[in-house]
Amino acid sequence: MARLESAELDLDVWPEPLPPPYPELQRRVKGVHGLLTLITDRIDAPLLDAAGPQLRVVSQMAVGVDNIDLAACTARGIPVGHTPGVLSDAVADLTIGLMIATARRFFEAHADMRAGRWTTWDPMGWTGPDLHGSTVGIIGLGRIGRAVARRLQGFNVRILYHNRHPSLHADALGATYVPLDTLLAESDFVSLHCPYTPETHHLINARALSLMKPTAILINTARGGVVDQDALLHALRSGEIWAAGLDVFTPEPLPPDHPLLALPNVVALPHIGSASIATRIKMAQMAVDNLLAGLAGQRLPHCANPEVYARA
Ligand code: GLV
């Protein structure tokens, strides 16, 4: 905010902690030259049209841009900024944390302790599978998937991955490319790191879950929509898979009475993958860099739809 204020812009800042309702956003964007958005703002063709043809840039403070209709922006010549790279390590840290917290039942054990159920040292009490020595399947070996694979080097695991295209970085990470079904069938941990697109919508559906081992753990720090959540609920209840560690949901926020949150084999976090102080500050700086570049008619340093520049 300090940078934007000193840039002498005519700023309209949404003052509430909750996101602007869509109709309100649609009213307020009329005539703006730039938009700084969060993942909670739906930026679609009607919204861009409501803004008007003077709109020069949409800058999102996030790496994922599935809330933004990129094609509609490109068609109107509007570059979309995002924040890749600066959050990969923070999300990868959280992913490893979720793997261990889920496998080793941190929250279940903690809740039992608080409720007075720690009565003795039970030989098989609160036991779970090991991360070390396991097979980890990474779906999406992009920046975040690779940061997860780097961290896993210390755990003596076998890494499988699936991606749209085999990755040039895989060998250095000791990661083996396999078809999706092989990854699902062989992994003890399946971790999602792909963007949310029409192709990845419900990639993890009832069929995919049925291929996983009954001892396997699903980790999702990508987007809720990559998983068919009802199918996941069923798989967790029926023991088709062992547990899930989830940072993302459909919808967000997930209602507190959602049945997933009542399951002992779910570790759930409120979409905090990138929520380290330093990371969020870097994301904010990048979002401002992109916004100011776009307003000045310069190429965005980090553009999610670079094809927009090929049109000119
Ligand atoms: C957060 O989910 C992001 O995409 O940066």
Side-chain angles (χ1 to χ4, degrees):
M1 283 306 303
R3 280 181 69 196
L4 292 177
E5 277 159 12
S6 65
E8 290 182 11
L9 303 167
D10 186 5
L11 288 177
D12 182 5
V13 180
W14 179 248
E16 308 293 335
L18 296 185
Y22 183 84
E24 177 76 17
L25 187 61
Q26 209 171 20
R27 255 193 312 280
R28 283 172 78 146
V29 293
K30 190 169 165 39
V32 303
H33 295 95
L35 267 176
L36 198 149
T37 60
L38 303 180
I39 59 170
T40 42
D41 301 313
R42 174 156 57 93
I43 308 299
D44 56 10
L47 191 98
L48 297 171
D49 292 339
Q54 78 299 326
L55 182 62
R56 282 185 218 147
V57 57
V58 174
S59 173
Q60 166 129 309
M61 186 184 147
V63 67
V65 287
D66 46 281
N67 56 310
I68 301 176
D69 184 338
L70 282 188
C73 289
T74 306
R76 289 161 180 74
I78 301 167
V80 176
H82 68 150
T83 65
V86 291
L87 48 70
S88 304
D89 285 323
V91 177
D93 288 352
L94 190 101
T95 302
I96 301 292
L98 261 182
M99 286 177 179
I100 299 177
T102 308
R104 301 296 301 275
R105 303 166 65 170
F106 281 13
F107 293 91
E108 200 187 338
H110 180 76
D112 283 349
M113 200 174 160
R114 289 180 67 142
R117 288 189 289 266
W118 183 20
T119 53
T120 184
W121 188 90
D122 175 356
M124 291 307 282
W126 297 300
T127 54
D130 283 312
L131 175 57
H132 74 264
S134 70
T135 296
V136 180
I138 296 179
I139 300 183
L141 199 67
R143 285 174 293 258
I144 297 172
R146 294 198 298 274
V148 170
R150 276 197 300 278
R151 281 156 178 73
L152 288 171
Q153 306 298 312
F155 289 86
N156 188 31
V157 298
R158 168 174 170 244
I159 302 178
L160 306 177
Y161 79 98
H162 184 76
N163 210 40
R164 270 168 302 184
H165 312 289
S167 161
L168 297 173
H169 306 273
D171 284 353
L173 295 165
T176 306
Y177 179 87
V178 288
L180 183 59
D181 286 4
T182 309
L183 182 147
L184 293 167
E186 293 193 12
S187 297
D188 300 305
F189 292 79
V190 173
S191 196
L192 305 177
H193 300 290
C194 50
Y196 181 46
T197 64
E199 292 75 47
T200 63
H201 174 73
H202 288 191
L203 184 71
I204 304 300
N205 55 17
R207 182 187 157 274
L209 290 160
S210 76
L211 295 176
M212 289 173 63
K213 300 181 190 180
T215 49
I217 292 177
L218 179 72
I219 302 292
N220 190 4
T221 57
R223 284 291 185 270
V226 178
V227 175
D228 177 343
Q229 202 166 264
D230 292 335
L232 175 63
L233 183 65
H234 174 76
L236 287 163
R237 274 183 172 150
S238 65
E240 192 162 57
I241 70 168
W242 203 74
L246 308 170
D247 187 45
V248 288
F249 300 88
T250 309
E252 293 186 5
L254 192 71
D257 60 354
H258 192 281
L260 264 183
L261 295 178
L263 295 184
N265 54 346
V266 169
V267 170
L269 297 174
H271 202 145
I272 57 168
S274 64
S276 81
I277 297 164
T279 299
R280 287 284 170 86
I281 290 171
K282 284 183 203 156
M283 290 165 68
Q285 294 288 5
M286 271 174 101
V288 172
D289 292 343
N290 282 327
L291 181 74
L292 295 180
L295 289 174
Q298 293 157 3
R299 196 180 172 104
L300 306 195
H302 299 281
C303 185
N305 60 340
E307 60 278 10
V308 74
Y309 295 114
R311 291 171 76 252

